[in-house]
Amino acid sequence: EPEVTQTPSHQVTQMGQEVILRCVPISNHLYFYWYRQILGQKVEFLVSFYNNEISEKSEIFDDQFSVERPDGSNFTLKIRSTKLEDSAMYFCASNRAVLNEKLFFGSGTQLSVL
Amino acid sequence: GNSVTQMEGPVTLSEEAFLTINCTYTATGYPSLFWYVQYPGEGLQLLLKATKADDKGSNKGFEATYRKETTSFHLEKGSVQVSDSAVYFCALSDQLRGGSQGNLIFGKGTKLSVKP
């Protein structure tokens, strides 16, 4: 079965630094998402992306966050100035269509902000 | 707002034991309900889903019934195997929001360990 690929699997950064988390969604998918899970807490929706623009975002997704699909394959999440509380597992996901409810998730990037 | 609450883990069972992981939800409208599973080192995978009241989702021996009267979607399996060891997430999507069906609301996850 095709997979969503995320890199790196673990990223360590200093507070205040910019980080870019990378994802390669499944090639024929049109909708892309980022979720995160802070240790011991719920998996939280961050943002959805379709047709080269954000279709929906949560309250968590403030001005420090941005997403981009710089080419036909990659989907990135940028955090401009990381805070300690940004430490979490970040999951990328994709699906083919809005009515197709099955999401395909990557294995996640563990971000540690020191 | 919409939310999902699932039982705290970890849950440790012996092989062939009966499994129940409780999940209850709060939602306006008519959400679809899901169970996702995350095996070690992998991403979340859809295990089963139900889109309306009284629907039963099933897959790989797991079952869950959408109970509107109790706002529940408990996951069950009659006989677990070591290979079922994973983290299980209950989730809902609110179809009335009109947004992407990918905007899921998850529970915290329940870690299941099955011992031989």
Side-chain angles (χ1 to χ4, degrees), chain B residues 37-40 81-88 112-115:
Chain B
V37 59
Q38 184 181 27
Y39 298 104
Q81 305 300 312
V82 172
S83 56
D84 294 325
S85 298
V87 182
Y88 292 82
L112 170 66
S113 297
V114 180
K115 307 297 184 187

Side-chain angles (χ1 to χ4, degrees), chain A residues 83-112:
Chain A
K83 303 187 284 288
L84 295 176
E85 54 265 38
D86 293 328
S87 295
M89 178 72 85
Y90 287 81
F91 294 104
C92 174
S94 68
N95 62 3
R96 284 180 300 173
V98 69
L99 294 179
N100 180 348
E101 296 176 342
K102 180 176 180 178
L103 280 184
F104 292 80
F105 283 85
S107 56
T109 294
Q110 179 65 54
L111 176 65
S112 300

Side-chain angles (χ1 to χ4, degrees), chain A residues 31 33 35 37 40-45 48 55-56 89 91 95 97-108, chain B residues 3-5 32 34 36 38 41-44 46 49 51 89 93 95 97 99-108:
Chain A
Y31 293 81
Y33 310 85
Y35 284 80
Q37 185 180 28
Q41 299 188 25
K42 298 183 177 186
V43 176
E44 302 171 294
F45 167 76
S48 59
S55 49
E56 192 161 354
M89 178 72 85
F91 294 104
N95 62 3
V98 69
L99 294 179
N100 180 348
E101 296 176 342
K102 180 176 180 178
L103 280 184
F104 292 80
F105 283 85
S107 56
Chain B
S3 66
V4 172
T5 303
S32 294
F34 308 83
Y36 278 79
Q38 184 181 27
E42 300 183 16
L44 283 74
L46 180 65
K49 70 176 184 181
T51 56
F89 294 88
S93 70
Q95 297 184 11
R97 294 175 71 207
S100 166
Q101 296 293 330
N103 302 6
L104 298 175
I105 296 171
F106 284 90
K108 285 188 179 184

Side-chain angles (χ1 to χ4, degrees), chain B residues 8-26:
Chain B
E8 296 284 330
V11 174
T12 302
L13 296 173
S14 298
E15 209 164 21
E16 299 183 3
F18 183 85
L19 168 71
T20 299
I21 300 178
N22 289 339
C23 171
T24 56
Y25 67 90
T26 302

Side-chain angles (χ1 to χ4, degrees), chain A:
Chain A
E1 191 170 58
E3 293 182 342
V4 174
T5 306
Q6 289 186 245
T7 55
S9 57
H10 195 176
Q11 172 109 35
V12 181
T13 189
Q14 296 291 323
M15 189 169 57
Q17 294 297 304
E18 174 183 287
V19 295
I20 297 176
L21 308 183
R22 303 181 189 280
C23 170
V24 179
I26 294 171
S27 61
N28 63 346
H29 285 188
L30 300 176
Y31 293 81
F32 314 112
Y33 310 85
W34 284 101
Y35 284 80
R36 78 173 186 190
Q37 185 180 28
I38 295 171
L39 186 64
Q41 299 188 25
K42 298 183 177 186
V43 176
E44 302 171 294
F45 167 76
L46 294 179
V47 65
S48 59
F49 191 86
Y50 169 71
N51 199 26
N52 283 320
E53 60 183 24
I54 291 173
S55 49
E56 192 161 354
K57 60 184 181 179
S58 71
E59 294 174 355
I60 302 167
F61 195 88
D62 62 20
D63 292 343
Q64 292 298 313
F65 292 89
S66 62
V67 289
E68 192 177 35
R69 188 156 163 81
D71 52 42
S73 60
N74 290 284
F75 179 52
T76 61
L77 174 69
K78 182 192 291 185
I79 309 174
R80 287 190 183 82
S81 177
T82 50
K83 303 187 284 288
L84 295 176
E85 54 265 38
D86 293 328
S87 295
M89 178 72 85
Y90 287 81
F91 294 104
C92 174
S94 68
N95 62 3
R96 284 180 300 173
V98 69
L99 294 179
N100 180 348
E101 296 176 342
K102 180 176 180 178
L103 280 184
F104 292 80
F105 283 85
S107 56
T109 294
Q110 179 65 54
L111 176 65
S112 300
V113 182
L114 305 179

